[in-house]
Amino acid sequence: MATKSSNSNLHRAAKVKNDEFYTQLADIEKELKHYKDQFRDKIVYCNCDDPFESNFFKYFAANFNALRLKRLITTSYTKSPIAGGQLPLFEMEGLKPDGKEPYVIEITEVLDINKDGAISIEDVETLLRRNKKSSRKLQGNGDFRSEECVELLKRADIVVTNPPFSLFRQYVAQLMEHGKKFLIIGNDNAISYKDFFEFIKKNKVWNGYGKVKEFKQPDGTLKKFGNVGWYTNLDTTKRHEKLTLYKKYNAKEYSKYDNYNAIEVPKVSDIPINHKGVMGVPVTFLDKYNPNQFEILGITDRDSKNKYRTKMYTKEDSPKYNDLNRRAAIKVNNELKPTYARLLIKFKQ
């Protein structure tokens, strides 16, 4: 359950466009362990990542051979406050003699250069210092929307990164436009974005396995978030697991919405196994969603054109009619109350 302060951090970050939150290696390892076979012989692109600060780059570089990658591409952004921080760029053959500039690194092999019997990030650093073909300056600023970064994107098979929170919609739209597989970090509130929700509804995007609760900031401190997790279009085993249910529908226990043709199901575990109609469930349902078991029909979040909505309130109905119109509403002690955002679902026939 998200804490108020954690969610406030997310809203504050989006408002001021503070996008400098770096994913910790443990969170990357925890999620990526579920997809290893899907990376075999693939070109991976991390397009929001300074190579020597990004744990995405470190993970894929250190596991280049174990994952049997074909190529790893990483681009840095000119406005990153940490670009070139750990390994001075003048030490990299492909980049000297200039300094802190956006650049691209491409790796096609990682050898055990230090002969310690294992591939490590130290081997990657040595490779970059010696091989001038592995890195070069970008002509532009390294923005993922720039022409040269889009050209790199076209060459990639899978994109993995933590994109800027403030540009999430643009970022996903670009991935979709180019038909790319991806595994990215985003906040749970993204499902209320109209365009992004359509991808969810059409089974073009789904939840990954885990949540990411802490990110490192440029000053080294940690920032906590409550509702941030992984989104992907790589297949997962969990989206094929049938949700086990035990409750049966009865009209006394399940309220019917006053403004939607659906019933309220306050907890995912309470989905009634014998209800044939439309049900409103918490958005956490996405963590349990099996497209062979359920169909997502819509979301009760500021969608006045939803075909399951039955009415729009006016001030004659309630002084809080605007709040009621934002969501599904139920009657509690003869008073209309809005619910949290609900996914509208039904069992698949």
Side-chain angles (χ1 to χ4, degrees):
M1 187 74 178
T3 64
K4 184 176 181 180
S5 59
S6 297
N7 284 326
S8 297
N9 285 338
L10 188 60
H11 295 315
R12 192 179 305 118
K15 187 175 182 180
V16 301
K17 295 187 178 181
N18 177 9
D19 290 325
E20 299 296 341
F21 301 111
Y22 308 122
T23 314
Q24 299 183 86
L25 186 58
D27 289 312
I28 296 171
E29 292 173 335
K30 189 176 178 181
E31 183 69 18
L32 266 292
K33 69 181 181 182
H34 298 287
Y35 308 85
K36 288 184 176 179
D37 290 342
Q38 298 184 63
F39 285 92
R40 182 176 300 177
D41 201 34
K42 294 295 190 295
I43 298 175
V44 173
Y45 184 24
C46 305
N47 57 353
C48 297
D49 299 84
D50 179 81
F52 282 90
E53 294 293 344
S54 164
N55 284 317
F56 286 98
F57 174 78
K58 291 177 181 175
Y59 174 84
F60 284 111
N63 290 282
F64 190 94
N65 295 337
L67 293 170
R68 301 183 185 182
L69 297 183
K70 183 176 183 180
R71 183 180 294 263
L72 173 60
I73 307 173
T74 310
T75 47
S76 68
Y77 180 50
T78 189
K79 293 183 179 179
S80 170
I82 44 83
Q86 284 197 352
L87 181 66
L89 301 183
F90 60 81
E91 294 184 10
M92 297 164 64
E93 282 295 322
L95 298 176
K96 66 181 183 180
D98 296 327
K100 189 174 179 177
E101 296 174 332
Y103 54 98
V104 55
I105 286 179
E106 294 193 49
I107 294 174
T108 55
E109 66 174 358
V110 181
L111 304 176
D112 182 17
I113 298 174
N114 59 13
K115 306 297 183 183
D116 66 351
I119 299 298
S120 66
I121 197 64
E122 286 75 23
D123 294 310
V124 179
E125 288 190 19
T126 304
L127 170 69
L128 295 177
R129 283 192 173 100
R130 294 179 180 177
N131 185 356
K132 64 181 180 181
K133 293 182 179 179
S134 64
S135 56
R136 66 179 187 276
K137 290 185 293 184
L138 291 168
Q139 298 299 311
N141 62 6
D143 189 307
F144 68 86
R145 298 162 293 186
S146 65
E147 185 176 346
E148 58 189 332
C149 287
V150 171
E151 288 303 312
L152 292 170
L153 174 66
K154 291 177 181 177
R155 293 167 49 199
D157 297 305
I158 306 175
V159 177
V160 185
T161 193
N162 174 14
F165 289 152
S166 63
L167 299 174
F168 185 80
R169 277 177 276 200
Q170 293 181 50
Y171 188 85
V172 173
Q174 179 173 281
L175 293 177
M176 291 299 185
E177 177 186 351
H178 292 280
K180 295 302 170 183
K181 294 291 185 182
F182 59 85
L183 177 61
I184 60 174
I185 291 174
N187 72 72
D188 292 352
N189 296 328
I191 68 167
S192 65
Y193 303 157
K194 186 176 180 180
D195 45 359
F196 187 68
F197 179 73
E198 284 301 306
F199 295 137
I200 295 278
K201 183 179 171 183
K202 294 176 181 176
N203 292 313
K204 294 182 177 180
V205 182
W206 44 88
N207 284 15
Y209 286 86
K211 296 293 183 184
V212 184
K213 299 185 181 301
E214 290 184 337
F215 293 86
K216 196 171 183 179
Q217 300 184 102
D219 63 2
T221 61
L222 294 175
K223 177 79 84 175
K224 294 182 180 296
F225 289 95
N227 290 335
V228 175
W230 296 85
Y231 291 110
T232 187
N233 59 358
L234 295 169
D235 198 18
T236 64
T237 55
K238 75 167 193 173
R239 72 189 299 264
H240 300 292
E241 295 171 352
K242 188 175 182 179
L243 178 60
T244 302
L245 301 166
Y246 65 95
K247 296 198 71 170
K248 293 188 176 180
Y249 174 76
N250 69 74
K252 290 183 178 179
E253 184 174 359
Y254 292 90
S255 301
K256 188 175 186 307
Y257 295 130
D258 187 69
N259 56 344
Y260 278 86
N261 186 19
I263 63 168
E264 159 76 354
V265 182
K267 294 191 297 185
V268 174
S269 59
D270 288 346
I271 294 174
I273 57 176
N274 59 337
H275 187 69
K276 304 296 185 185
V278 181
M279 301 172 279
V281 297
V283 295
T284 53
F285 166 82
L286 290 177
D287 288 327
K288 306 290 185 183
Y289 173 48
N290 175 344
N292 294 317
Q293 186 179 14
F294 295 98
E295 181 179 359
I296 296 176
L297 305 170
I299 186 169
T300 64
D301 188 79
R302 290 167 285 191
D303 185 3
S304 60
K305 297 181 180 178
N306 190 301
K307 72 176 186 180
Y308 298 99
R309 181 187 283 271
T310 57
K311 72 170 69 169
M312 292 292 290
Y313 299 107
T314 66
K315 59 183 178 182
E316 283 72 31
D317 298 310
S318 169
K320 299 178 180 177
Y321 69 97
N322 280 328
D323 291 338
L324 295 173
N325 284 331
R326 290 184 63 222
R327 302 278 171 78
I330 56 175
K331 277 187 178 178
V332 179
N333 297 325
N334 288 322
E335 182 181 356
L336 286 170
K337 292 185 179 295
T339 62
Y340 290 107
R342 295 291 194 234
L343 292 172
L344 297 174
I345 66 165
K346 70 175 183 180
F347 283 102
K348 204 157 187 177
Q349 300 298 316

